[in-house]
Amino acid sequence: MNNQDIKDGKTLATIAYITPLGLLIAISLNLEKRNPYVFFHARQMIGLIIMVAFSNLCEKYVNSWFGTALWFITFFSWIYCLVFTIKGEYKLLPFLGKYFQDWFRNLE
């Protein structure tokens, strides 16, 4: 992946982190261009959406404090990913990022 991919895909990659709707918009607009930078960050955002859903389920059905702690972890992970997207870097989310890239590798 080169700097031109990052420069061309930076806006769409940032949009992917705004909301789940932004993720859908970024993916659909990137289907023609096939920019790997956008798909990298889209896979990360899909993982973050799964993390927030899991934290909400834990908060409701397991333990309120545990679910809230998971939610804060997810929130700070989202901030981490958003910052590196704006900086124009391929930075995996610690611990889970490589799994997200592997699980959602069909998104290319």
Side-chain angles (χ1 to χ4, degrees), residues 2 43 46 54 62 97 106 108:
N2 57 34
R43 288 189 293 267
I46 291 170
F54 181 74
V62 177
N106 293 331
E108 289 182 353

Side-chain angles (χ1 to χ4, degrees), residues 4-107:
Q4 189 62 37
D5 288 338
I6 293 171
K7 184 178 177 185
D8 293 342
K10 198 176 204 181
T11 303
L12 282 180
T14 305
I15 289 171
Y17 283 109
I18 302 303
T19 62
L21 180 61
L23 173 66
L24 294 175
I25 291 169
I27 290 172
S28 64
L29 291 177
N30 193 45
L31 286 176
E32 187 176 310
K33 297 176 187 175
R34 299 278 186 211
N35 187 314
Y37 185 71
V38 177
F39 284 134
F40 173 85
H41 286 289
R43 288 189 293 267
Q44 294 290 100
M45 182 57 179
I46 291 170
L48 288 170
I49 290 171
I50 291 170
M51 284 175 62
V52 80
F54 181 74
S55 70
N56 287 340
L57 287 173
C58 285
E59 186 173 10
K60 185 171 183 175
Y61 296 110
V62 177
N63 184 321
S64 177
W65 289 102
F66 180 65
T68 302
L70 288 177
W71 186 90
F72 277 107
I73 291 169
T74 304
F75 176 75
F76 288 117
S77 298
W78 174 75
I79 295 291
Y80 174 87
C81 290
L82 184 62
V83 166
F84 283 109
T85 302
I86 294 169
K87 288 173 68 175
E89 296 182 22
Y90 285 96
K91 199 76 158 178
L92 287 171
L93 187 64
F95 305 111
L96 294 174
K98 64 181 175 181
Y99 296 111
F100 294 158
Q101 294 300 315
D102 185 46
W103 295 339
F104 308 118
R105 68 181 170 271
N106 293 331
L107 181 62

